[in-house]
Amino acid sequence: MASPLLAAVAGLGFGLSLIVAIGAQNAFVLRQGLLRSHVGAVVMICALSDTALIGAGVAGIGVIVERFPLVLVVVRVAGAIFLAVYGVLAARRALRPAVLTADARPGPGSLWAAVLTCLALTWLNPHVYLDTVLLLGSVANTHGDDRWWFALGAAAGSVLWFSALGYGARLLRPVFARPLAWRILDAAIALVMLALAVSLLLPVLLPS
């Protein structure tokens, strides 16, 4: 069992290295965690999506994505538009005098909004196909017969990270008891989203 165990540990470390970074998905999970708003659903969607993408990469779907670059172009444009809209909304929240507080509660229908936003931030991100499907899938296949153990470790890393981010965010709630902290967070989210939107469009508008 030494070889499968080593492959799983390698997958755990590699998976965490790809997802533990400031990005649109992590920023959204953090905000939902701070609000205690549908955290379970958001964490589950992120973890299951990552697991599906990891499995696709190990199974060889990444080759298809690589051979049909037009798919990534469409995802880039759609993702950029979504991120730009989300960034503008975050900027509006940051600039508005009346902002959310740590005691805010989601209104009716917000579960669907959270689910759809989470799905869009995950599946309309072309980097997830490049990193999780192509890169992680390629590295996993270097482990030969133990590649699925590598995938299992990477999937476990996603579950651990998103659970820690979503449920651990409550530890920061004392900081976000002040409206100013929410405005700073939303301003940071707006900058991240808009910067990502621009980075997605640049290769399409200015091909090398």
Side-chain angles (χ1 to χ4, degrees), residues 64-197:
I64 298 175
V65 176
E66 196 171 30
R67 289 182 179 176
F68 297 95
L70 181 61
V71 173
L72 286 180
V73 173
V74 173
V75 172
R76 276 184 180 276
V77 174
I81 292 172
F82 180 82
L83 288 173
V85 172
Y86 194 94
V88 169
L89 292 176
R92 280 188 60 193
R93 288 196 303 266
L95 295 173
R96 271 191 335 192
V99 295
L100 289 169
T101 66
D103 294 324
R105 291 290 180 267
S110 59
L111 172 60
W112 281 110
V115 167
L116 293 175
T117 300
C118 189
L119 287 171
L121 290 173
T122 301
W123 293 91
L124 289 181
N125 177 12
H127 294 296
V128 79
Y129 300 99
L130 296 172
D131 293 343
T132 307
V133 177
L134 288 176
L135 180 57
L136 192 146
S138 299
V139 174
N141 279 285
T142 64
H143 290 265
D145 293 338
D146 295 326
R147 62 187 181 279
W148 288 108
W149 285 96
F150 184 95
L152 182 63
S158 292
V159 174
L160 290 173
W161 169 250
F162 289 120
S163 297
L165 185 62
Y167 290 104
R170 66 186 61 191
L171 299 176
L172 297 175
R173 281 173 65 83
V175 175
F176 286 87
R178 295 177 297 176
L180 178 61
W182 280 104
R183 298 184 72 175
I184 293 173
L185 175 65
D186 280 324
I189 290 175
L191 289 174
V192 169
M193 299 295 181
L194 293 173
L196 286 172

Side-chain angles (χ1 to χ4, degrees), residues 17-85:
S17 71
L18 291 179
I19 62 174
V20 180
I22 297 175
Q25 189 184 47
N26 285 339
F28 179 72
V29 175
L30 175 63
R31 195 171 193 281
Q32 293 298 115
L34 287 168
L35 286 171
R36 295 185 182 179
S37 175
H38 311 301
V39 180
V42 168
V43 169
M44 182 176 67
I45 289 170
C46 291
L48 290 178
S49 295
D50 256 23
T51 300
L53 289 163
I54 290 167
V58 176
I61 304 300
V63 177
I64 298 175
V65 176
E66 196 171 30
R67 289 182 179 176
F68 297 95
L70 181 61
V71 173
L72 286 180
V73 173
V74 173
V75 172
R76 276 184 180 276
V77 174
I81 292 172
F82 180 82
L83 288 173
V85 172

